[in-house]
Amino acid sequence: MNVVEMYDYLVRTRRDLRATLEATPDAILSQPLIAADRFRCLKDMLFHVIEVEDGWVQGDIRRRPMVQEQFPSLRASPGGPVFADVPLALLLDYWSAVENESCEFMPTLSEVDLARVVAVEDWPEKQLTVSGLLWHVMIHEIRHTAQMVVLLRNAGVRPPSLDLLFYL
């Protein structure tokens, strides 16, 4: 499986996760389900997943402004556990906007593009390729959406089955 195929799988799983989140009462999405400094509720974790893709793909790989710039109320947030009061629709709009940018970008990548080393502001000593960063973004999402599925299940919500097997 290559980067484009894997991203397509994630886009398809997002449809199912999104439908579940939209059907979930806001009280559950906003409830602190994790005793942590960050990502206390499902909305916090969702924002984190979106922002990571936006930052790595738009910011570091493409050297463009983050899509988040189009969402001033999200951009102004200090990060951490602050998204409980943010409407789910706003987070989902942000996710769709980030996804649209990534969907346009991914198919344009050549082998040379994927092998390009990216200068990462946070880790100047690292030699990270576009391919490596994209795999990081995708695996990062898979791990956090798995956490979200567990949190939904623990809150009494039937989560979607996001296993690759169901999408092949």
Side-chain angles (χ1 to χ4, degrees), residues 4 9 14 28 32 56 70 87-88 93 107 119 126 130 137 151 165:
V4 174
Y9 155 68
R14 288 173 184 174
I28 292 173
W56 283 112
Q70 301 166 26
L88 177 64
D93 287 348
K126 296 277 187 192
V130 169
V137 166
L151 293 173
L165 177 66

Side-chain angles (χ1 to χ4, degrees), residues 8 28 88 112-113 131 146 153:
D8 179 63
I28 292 173
L88 177 64
V112 171
D113 295 327
S131 176
R153 187 178 310 281

